[in-house]
């Protein structure tokens, strides 16, 4: 009997590995589209990708797959839910059921509307006119409501959409934790505003030749452990990290000659994502035991390198002299202390992607609250810009002056991505909690970082997080690694300690 189960399991794995070949090919086409594809190739590339997406969707919803998963779910092979077999079957079944619940007509309509939505959004943003985006946004919200209803939920529609990005998470839990964060962050921001300290940030806006930025980015990525034998760094308008095979993880960045942090922290961020991918178990590539857990955990791995390491005094104690030697004209007269303060300045801005570590989370909370209002029909689409601006005023104390620097700034909704935003804040929360534990486990992490010894920290991440694939859910993992469920306390402690020191609170 168990021999039969083993055979069925092997068939399931073979089929999923074949699907992974197609999925990784799809990723390669996507990477090429954004990095080097000639403009005239766009239409045919669209056809290639749509065709491949169709084949992948059919394979993922094949009833044969469903039969195998049904048999295996009850088998002794899966008795331990955290074993490799148990994980592969549980997570494959979850994904299969989700995909099967979505009628093909709805999937196609969503894809079409998202393409139109992105087009309209770009126009609306360029002309600073929300009304151009209103019709497709209205349609997208309607379709996402249908999607949530098709998938089903026990508490609220948002649960069904959140689950796509953050499996096993619930809206109620996220709401509770983000509101806890707001209660602490809004007063902290006020204290910073009231402080007498002013930070000079002009040193970041000097001239930093792009070629040198490229060299520094590559060097930093390599130092923290991005493996260039299994990856590349390229240039794109919108930076990203993509995985194209077990030994092929690619990151991109953008360069601003007059603003160093864009590429510097961008590369640290994307390298963190890539180091996670490179740390997965190769043997299980294409199967849940060899895949990343959720967008929130993924983001924790990028934030931990970008912020907890990359914006720390320890990191720059070691690396600032090197940075000065690469950019002598720009940084010769700048002290380590001034540079450290400049890269950690806190200033409310209407734009999320430019936000500091403190206000960033409030930008996310605003989107999370508005998405729920939209999905529950509690705000009319035409009233959305005002609702947006009101929340900015109450949480950040600023009111966006135009729709482009307000409700039209992010691409996510135009592509139908509702439920995605909270994963950014969850990433910040997870990163702070993981980091606190790593400090306890590794002893003098500050000295290691100041000396440029990143191996122990990276191995800690690999051992505790990366190598487990999806054997634990995000919630289980954080409890297993840190001994307690996700809490906002670690992030608050980290942010308050840093701000108190810099702003003399
Ligand atoms: Zn990221």
């Amino acid at each position: 009997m168990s021999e039969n189960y083993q055979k069925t399991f092997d068939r399931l794995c073979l089929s999923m590995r074949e699907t992974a070949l197609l999925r990784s090919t799809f990723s390669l086409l996507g990477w090429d589209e954004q990095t080097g594809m000639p403009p005239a190739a766009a239409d045919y590339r669209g056809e290639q990708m749509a065709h491949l997406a169709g084949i992948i969707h059919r394979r993922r919803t094949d009833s044969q797959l469903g039969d195998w998963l049904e048999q295996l779910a009850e088998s002794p092979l899966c008795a331990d839910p955290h074993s490799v077999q148990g994980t592969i079957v549980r997570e494959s079944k979850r994904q299969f059921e989700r995909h099967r619940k979505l009628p093909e007509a709805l999937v196609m309509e969503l894809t079409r509307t998202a393409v139109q939505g992105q087009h309209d959004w770009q126009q609306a943003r360029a002309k600073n006119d929300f009304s151009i985006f209103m019709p497709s946004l209205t349609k997208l919200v309607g379709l996402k409501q249908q999607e949530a209803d098709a998938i089903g939920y026990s508490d609220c529609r948002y649960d069904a959409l959140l689950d796509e990005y953050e499996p096993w998470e619930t809206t109620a839990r996220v709401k509770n934790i983000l509101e806890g964060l707001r209660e602490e962050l809004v007063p902290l921001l006020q204290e910073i505003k009231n402080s007498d300290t002013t930070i000079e940030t002009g040193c970041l806006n000097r001239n930093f030749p792009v070629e040198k930025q490229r060299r520094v980015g590559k060097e930093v990525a390599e130092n923290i452990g991005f493996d260039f034998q299994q990856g590349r760094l390229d240039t794109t308008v919108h930076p990203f990290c993509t995985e194209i095979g077990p030994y092929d993880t690619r990151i991109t960045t953008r360069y601003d000659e007059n603003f160093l942090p864009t590429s510097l922290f961008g590369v640290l961020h994307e390298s963190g994502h890539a180091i996670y991918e490179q740390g997965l178990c190769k043997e299980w590539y294409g199967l849940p035991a060899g895949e990343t857990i959720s967008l929130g955990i993924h983001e924790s791995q990028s934030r931990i390198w970008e912020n907890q390491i990359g914006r720390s005094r320890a990191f720059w104690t070691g690396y600032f002299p090197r940075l000065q030697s690469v950019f002598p004209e720009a940084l010769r007269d700048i002290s380590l202390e001034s540079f450290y303060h400049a890269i950690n300045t806190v200033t409310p801005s209407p734009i999320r992607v430019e936000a500091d570590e403190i206000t960033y989370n409030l930008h996310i909370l605003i989107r999370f609250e508005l998405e729920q209002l939209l999905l529950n029909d509690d705000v009319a689409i035409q009233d959305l810009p005002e609702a947006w601006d009101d929340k900015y005023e109450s949480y950040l104390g600023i009111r966006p002056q135009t729709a482009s620097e307000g409700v039209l700034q992010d691409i996510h909704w135009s592509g139908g991505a509702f439920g995605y935003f909270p994963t950014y804040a969850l990433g910040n929360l997870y990163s702070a909690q993981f980091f606190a534990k790593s400090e306890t486990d590794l002893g003098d992490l500050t000295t290691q970082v100041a000396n440029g010894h990143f191996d122990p920290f990276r191995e800690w991440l690999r051992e505790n997080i990366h190598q487990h694939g999806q054997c634990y859910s995000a919630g289980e993992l954080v409890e297993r690694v840190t001994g307690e469920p996700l809490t906002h306390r670690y992030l608050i402690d980290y942010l308050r300690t840093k701000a108190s020191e810099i702003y003399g609170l």
Side-chain angles (χ1 to χ4, degrees), residues 153-168:
Y153 49 84
S154 52
D155 191 18
C156 61
R157 272 183 177 145
Y158 200 83
D159 279 338
L161 301 184
L162 178 67
D163 185 72
E164 184 178 351
Y165 309 108
E166 205 60 34
W168 311 106

Side-chain angles (χ1 to χ4, degrees), residues 117-174:
Q118 297 203 349
H119 176 81
D120 293 348
W121 168 75
Q122 272 169 7
Q123 298 284 314
R125 205 170 114 122
K127 291 183 179 152
N128 202 10
D129 181 355
F130 180 70
S131 71
I132 298 171
F133 181 45
M134 262 178 54
S136 51
L137 181 60
T138 308
K139 204 168 166 195
L140 277 164
V141 170
L143 290 169
K144 293 310 275 191
Q145 289 172 333
Q146 284 180 45
E147 181 183 321
D149 294 345
I151 286 164
Y153 49 84
S154 52
D155 191 18
C156 61
R157 272 183 177 145
Y158 200 83
D159 279 338
L161 301 184
L162 178 67
D163 185 72
E164 184 178 351
Y165 309 108
E166 205 60 34
W168 311 106
E169 192 50 274
T170 68
T171 311
R173 258 204 309 264
V174 173

Side-chain angles (χ1 to χ4, degrees), residues 269-270 273 295 298-299 302-303 306 420 424:
H269 181 99
E270 299 305 333
H273 280 304
L295 289 192
H298 225 310
E299 192 67 4
S302 59
R303 290 293 187 183
E306 177 194 353
Y420 189 116
Y424 291 131

Side-chain angles (χ1 to χ4, degrees), residues 83-115:
S83 67
V84 165
Q85 285 95 336
T87 298
I88 290 174
V89 172
R90 177 190 67 245
E91 290 302 316
S92 304
K93 196 162 180 284
R94 190 184 65 76
Q95 288 167 26
F96 173 80
E97 283 164 2
R98 188 176 171 97
H99 291 135
R100 283 279 280 199
K101 281 178 189 163
L102 290 175
E104 203 169 321
L106 178 62
V107 172
M108 288 171 72
E109 188 59 16
L110 259 167
T111 309
R112 264 195 298 272
T113 313
V115 172

Side-chain angles (χ1 to χ4, degrees), residues 40-102:
D43 284 352
Y44 194 72
R45 178 57 46 87
E47 281 185 47
Q48 289 174 314
M49 291 180 73
H51 188 72
L52 207 46
I55 298 174
I56 293 167
H57 182 73
R58 278 196 292 283
R59 288 186 62 93
R60 279 174 159 171
T61 52
D62 184 2
S63 58
Q64 174 70 81
L65 205 61
D67 292 344
W68 289 335
L69 288 166
E70 209 58 56
Q71 289 169 38
L72 289 167
E74 304 304 319
S75 82
L77 271 186
C78 300
D80 175 2
H82 303 302
S83 67
V84 165
Q85 285 95 336
T87 298
I88 290 174
V89 172
R90 177 190 67 245
E91 290 302 316
S92 304
K93 196 162 180 284
R94 190 184 65 76
Q95 288 167 26
F96 173 80
E97 283 164 2
R98 188 176 171 97
H99 291 135
R100 283 279 280 199
K101 281 178 189 163
L102 290 175

